[in-house]
């Protein structure tokens, strides 16, 4: 068996036979492969091909469609060998793809656990930081536990756990 992931595209326009161009960009995997890192890459590849078709009929014209036969193996080789690739498609368009590992969800935070700073949070703080983090960062000192931080910051313990 194989695992198939596809991203179908439908472009409606009277210039196409049946007034639409339908295509599906897809990857085929071994059944044991974690496909989550490939989702964003597939979405981007489909989006770029959609845009190229709308702007310059890249897929519906024979000359440029033939170029697709060399682009797709380049994408495969780049992702399989390096996990990323920069592939020229047209003189004006370059496809940049990169696989990012899918990180597992962290374990649940309990009320009795003590957060410890491993970086200087004060140096990292920005105006657009989450309001909860801005409010609790001064109470994260390696001694205060989650529930106590919530009490000191006068916040709901669920918000502090999530932060």
């Amino acid at each position: 068996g194989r695992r198939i992931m596809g991203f179908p595209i439908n472009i409606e326009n009277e210039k196409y036979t049946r007034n639409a161009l339908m295509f599906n960009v897809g990857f085929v995997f071994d059944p044991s492969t974690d496909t989550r890192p490939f989702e964003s890459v597939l979405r981007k590849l489909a989006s770029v091909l959609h845009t190229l078709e709308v702007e310059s009929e890249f897929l519906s014209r024979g000359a440029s469609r033939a170029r697709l036969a060399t682009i797709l193996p380049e994408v495969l080789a780049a992702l399989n060998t390096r996990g990323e690739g920069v592939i020229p498609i047209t003189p004006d368009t370059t496809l940049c793809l990169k696989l990012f590992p899918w990180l597992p969800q962290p374990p649940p935070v309990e009320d009795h656990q003590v957060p410890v700073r491993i970086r200087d949070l004060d140096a990292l703080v920005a105006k657009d930081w989450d309001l909860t983090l801005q409010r609790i960062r001064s109470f994260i000192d390696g001694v205060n536990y989650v529930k106590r931080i919530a009490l000191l910051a006068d916040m709901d313990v669920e918000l502090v756990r999530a932060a």
Side-chain angles (χ1 to χ4, degrees):
R2 296 278 184 232
R3 185 181 234 172
I4 299 171
M5 181 189 325
F7 196 95
I9 300 286
N10 181 38
I11 304 171
E12 293 184 13
N13 193 312
E14 293 177 8
K15 68 183 175 184
Y16 301 117
T17 307
R18 296 184 180 175
N19 297 322
L21 174 67
M22 294 178 272
F23 64 96
N24 190 0
V25 181
F27 293 147
V28 179
F29 301 96
D30 286 327
S32 61
T33 303
D34 181 10
T35 59
R36 292 176 296 185
F38 292 89
E39 290 172 10
S40 61
V41 170
L42 183 61
R43 193 176 311 114
K44 182 175 184 178
L45 179 58
S47 174
V48 167
L49 291 175
H50 175 270
T51 301
L52 284 170
E53 175 59 29
V54 169
E55 292 178 356
S56 65
E57 299 178 340
F58 183 79
L59 298 172
S60 57
R61 283 188 303 137
S64 55
R65 186 174 48 228
R67 171 79 179 107
L68 195 59
T70 60
I71 293 169
L72 294 177
E74 287 180 51
V75 168
L76 176 67
L79 294 177
N80 280 341
T81 58
R82 297 180 309 279
E84 62 183 76
V86 178
I87 296 121
I89 297 181
T90 68
D92 301 322
T93 307
T94 301
L95 180 63
C96 299
L97 300 172
K98 183 174 177 91
L99 293 174
F100 291 97
W102 192 266
L103 301 175
Q105 287 284 38
V109 176
E110 303 294 332
D111 290 351
H112 66 275
Q113 292 177 319
V114 178
V116 177
R117 292 179 181 217
I118 56 172
R119 293 194 176 97
D120 182 8
L121 296 178
D122 299 323
L124 296 173
V125 72
K127 285 187 278 184
D128 59 345
W129 251 30
D130 178 68
L131 294 175
T132 304
L133 283 173
Q134 289 182 32
R135 194 159 171 187
I136 67 171
R137 73 182 158 90
S138 63
F139 302 112
I140 300 174
D141 59 4
V143 175
N144 291 327
Y145 49 92
V146 171
K147 190 167 186 172
R148 182 173 177 142
I149 291 171
L151 291 170
L152 291 170
D154 192 29
M155 297 188 72
D156 183 48
V157 72
E158 290 296 322
L159 291 173
V160 175
R161 271 195 223 125

